[in-house]
Amino acid sequence: MTVLSAKNITMQFGGLTAVDQFNLELSSNELVGLIGPNGAGKTTIFNMLTGVYVPTMGEILLNDQSIIKKTPHEIVKLGASRTFQNIRLFKDLTAVENVKIAYHNFIDYNMVQGMFRTKKFWEEEKKAQEECMKLLDIFDMGEYADTLAKNLPYGQQRKLEIARALASDPKVLMLDEPAAGMNPNETAELMETIHFIRNKFDITVLLIEHDMKLVMGICERIIVVDYGKTIAEGTPDEIKNNPDVIRAYLGD
Amino acid sequence: MDHNKKKAYLINAVAVVALYLVFFVLIQTKSMNNYFVGIAIMTCIMIIMAMSLNIVAGFLGEMALGHAGFMAIGAYASASFSMALIDGGLPLPHLVILILAMIVGGIVAGVFGFLIGTPTLRLRGDYLGIVTIGFSEIIRIFFINFGPTGGAAGLKGITKLVNFHNVYWVTIVIAFLIFTLGRSKQGRAIISIREDEIASEAAGIPTTRYKVLAFSLAAFFAGVGGAMYAHYQSFLEPSKFGFMFSIEMFVIVVLGGLGSLTGSIISAIVLTVLPEMLRSFAEYRLLVYSLVLIIMMIFRPQGIFGRSEFSLTAFIESLIQRKNVKNSIGGGEAS
């Protein structure tokens, strides 16, 4: 079943075509990698899929609903969430608070109930605390729950960002270079984590990555873009031996 | 609500009542003359203003330099309302009139906050600061030229309904409401915008809605503060609500720590009482005031409490712990 599909999406910045007629089909529970040399348009594609940019042309469907011109938070509600290339945590808040913010839409009380601290407030807050702690525990981060996000080690910050993205209960999780800045050990651990959450939460994962070991290691399908166009698509083995991909990365 | 939370509520409630009783006794026994009671009332009003500004400046993290404008709207709206009500001859107790006037002042100011916030919150940082200055100046100039509220000569004949007792409890209630707001899901959403707006949006927070909400709430409480001011002074003149007054409130919030309500309270007390205490120094008083600010900003740029809150419960616990440690050390030496 197709969860997310993009048809001929194009993004032009003035005279520059950053992404040119890009197509994408993500089935449920798939793990897909999006790779390409620097400046190929990967992050632009991400930004279109998450509502940060509105494509100049084309259509994007998430669970058969068009998300063109929808704001990022509306798209999150429809079931697609993301992480960022340069970690964007709420630095001065604790780890569990970071997760709670993304859990926002599942906490059910209004402002007046919150300000007057009615029974509903306490119940809902207790539930939110428990659910968010559960999520942190899945990432083995329970002990860091009350640590400020800025004081977490780098690898934990990356994990926290993924945990936060999962708190909104997405169907599609998009990871923008999750292994950036990680050492080989941390990358290996991250690979396991990504694999694990895909199975545990039964979600589709789309990731942009430069680390070939990670991409080749866990992705079932890889899409290679260069100059805003798809140049190859297939299993890791097919991609490894594709002459177009080798040319894009290494030149003629 | 678990046991610790209940204990914290109890301790704070006791402290609030105890503080009130101290003032009550001082006022009843005339140990505090009218001059000092007046300062105490003005301090409470400034605390309300600083805390409400903290919603925008501290929680939302935006520069809002037009808070006096919302105060003016609340003051004029509530004063006109209470005057009409009293002229109408309804035999209502004064407290009821004051509460109604506060609500009217708050709601009118809140509506203006919403109307002004909706288009301007697309701007950020210093741009928003300039626009808010502009709006508050428009409000001031409107009242200078608006005949029905007395124009430049001011609005006279407002019934004095505010005394220390009611302003104290109103301040406590507002402090409680803003504090709980900061620790609700709505407050978290607002704070997440301060931390990182893009990430907040990506976490599913409708950022525009929460920005406008924060702005309107700040305006609402500023309107309530304005209502208290109007019914304390019983006379309003537009020139009071100038740019410098907005800056004064902003300074209080920055000095107390952006995002810290207890900081705002302490700093509002210091910056309202200090200039009064320095009256005997006459012309040097502003110099000392400015020096305090400069020294503060050099040695503690994050404000008195930074972003954290002063917790009475934690303070008492640390005192008890210290005493226990001392006792055990003392006991050790004796043996």
Side-chain angles (χ1 to χ4, degrees), chain A residues 190-208:
Chain A
L190 181 77
M191 279 167 70
E192 264 173 47
T193 312
I194 293 173
H195 223 97
F196 169 75
I197 54 176
R198 194 271 302 259
N199 297 332
K200 165 99 185 163
F201 295 93
D202 195 28
I203 52 172
T204 309
V205 178
L206 174 68
L207 61 91
I208 293 181

Side-chain angles (χ1 to χ4, degrees), chain B residues 8-130:
Chain B
Y9 272 94
L10 194 68
I11 290 177
N12 284 315
V14 167
V16 163
V17 173
L19 186 65
Y20 173 69
L21 287 179
V22 169
F23 276 105
F24 184 80
V25 169
L26 285 177
I27 291 168
Q28 289 302 316
T29 57
K30 305 270 180 214
S31 310
M32 227 171 130
N33 61 28
N34 278 339
Y35 171 66
F36 286 110
V37 174
I39 295 174
I41 292 172
M42 259 330 276
T43 306
C44 283
I45 292 171
M46 286 313 281
I47 289 173
I48 295 174
M49 295 313 296
M51 286 190 303
S52 63
L53 181 57
N54 215 335
I55 299 174
V56 173
F59 293 174
L60 185 62
E62 288 291 359
M63 197 150 99
L65 297 173
H67 217 49
F70 294 121
M71 188 181 181
I73 291 174
Y76 273 98
S78 67
S80 313
F81 173 79
S82 77
M83 285 164 87
L85 206 62
I86 289 167
D87 284 347
L90 274 171
L92 288 169
H94 276 182
L95 190 63
V96 175
I97 296 175
L98 179 65
I99 290 171
L100 289 175
M102 263 162 41
I103 293 171
V104 168
I107 288 175
V108 174
V111 167
F112 270 88
F114 177 80
L115 293 178
I116 292 169
T118 309
T120 56
L121 283 166
R122 293 166 200 283
L123 300 170
R124 305 223 59 180
D126 28 13
Y127 302 102
L128 182 67
I130 291 166

Side-chain angles (χ1 to χ4, degrees), chain A residues 39-106:
Chain A
K42 302 181 296 290
T43 299
T44 309
I45 292 170
F46 251 48
N47 283 339
M48 284 190 283
L49 295 178
T50 51
V52 178
Y53 296 150
V54 179
T56 323
M57 272 187 291
E59 177 67 292
I60 303 170
L61 298 173
L62 175 63
N63 290 322
D64 300 324
Q65 242 183 312
S66 173
I67 56 167
I68 299 290
K69 289 192 177 156
K70 285 228 158 51
T71 57
H73 75 263
E74 287 169 332
I75 294 172
V76 173
K77 238 182 167 172
L78 291 172
S81 68
R82 70 173 293 181
T83 64
F84 293 89
Q85 192 171 344
N86 42 345
I87 305 176
R88 281 181 177 275
L89 288 170
F90 307 121
K91 293 194 183 68
D92 278 316
L93 302 179
T94 63
V96 70
E97 280 172 329
N98 266 274
V99 180
K100 262 190 218 168
I101 286 165
Y103 193 68
H104 186 268
N105 289 325
F106 305 105

Side-chain angles (χ1 to χ4, degrees), chain A residues 52 71-74 76-77 80-82 84 87-93 97-98 100-112 114-117 121-122 125 128 164 168, chain B residues 1-2 5 9 173-174 176-186 188-189 191-210 213 217 221 307:
Chain A
V52 178
T71 57
H73 75 263
E74 287 169 332
V76 173
K77 238 182 167 172
S81 68
R82 70 173 293 181
F84 293 89
I87 305 176
R88 281 181 177 275
L89 288 170
F90 307 121
K91 293 194 183 68
D92 278 316
L93 302 179
E97 280 172 329
N98 266 274
K100 262 190 218 168
I101 286 165
Y103 193 68
H104 186 268
N105 289 325
F106 305 105
I107 306 177
D108 177 33
Y109 60 80
N110 61 34
M111 193 178 74
V112 176
M115 283 169 95
F116 287 94
R117 302 228 155 156
F121 165 84
W122 293 107
E125 280 293 309
R164 188 181 67 189
S168 57
Chain B
M1 215 192 314
D2 59 23
K5 289 229 173 74
Y9 272 94
V173 169
I174 291 179
F176 175 78
L177 291 179
I178 298 178
F179 183 84
T180 50
L181 171 76
R183 275 149 191 75
S184 66
K185 78 167 204 179
Q186 287 81 9
R188 273 198 302 268
I191 291 168
S192 78
I193 298 172
R194 168 190 83 194
E195 292 293 312
D196 191 326
E197 192 175 340
I198 293 170
S200 173
E201 184 80 20
I205 305 290
T207 51
T208 313
R209 199 192 308 162
Y210 277 105
L213 176 76
L217 271 178
F221 287 119
R307 269 177 187 166

Side-chain angles (χ1 to χ4, degrees), chain A residues 1 14 16 28 50-51 68 75 103 113 121 123 126 145 151 156 219 228:
Chain A
M1 198 190 92
L16 176 84
S28 55
T50 51
I68 299 290
I75 294 172
Y103 193 68
Q113 286 170 323
F121 165 84
E123 284 167 4
K126 192 167 167 243
N151 296 335
Q156 301 289 343
C219 293

Side-chain angles (χ1 to χ4, degrees), chain A residues 32-38 42-43 46 83 85 158 175-182 187 190-191 194 206-216 218-219 222-223 249:
Chain A
V32 178
L34 182 63
I35 64 170
N38 284 332
K42 302 181 296 290
T43 299
F46 251 48
T83 64
Q85 192 171 344
R158 282 270 175 215
L175 306 172
D176 195 349
E177 294 202 33
M182 281 188 171
T187 307
L190 181 77
M191 279 167 70
I194 293 173
L206 174 68
L207 61 91
I208 293 181
E209 192 46 73
H210 274 301
D211 191 318
M212 284 303 147
K213 212 177 131 207
L214 184 137
V215 176
M216 297 296 169
I218 61 169
C219 293
I222 293 172
I223 301 165
Y249 270 91

Side-chain angles (χ1 to χ4, degrees), chain A residues 150-168:
Chain A
K150 64 178 176 191
N151 296 335
L152 287 172
Y154 187 80
Q156 301 289 343
Q157 292 194 6
R158 282 270 175 215
K159 278 210 279 188
L160 178 58
E161 212 191 7
I162 297 174
R164 188 181 67 189
L166 287 170
S168 57

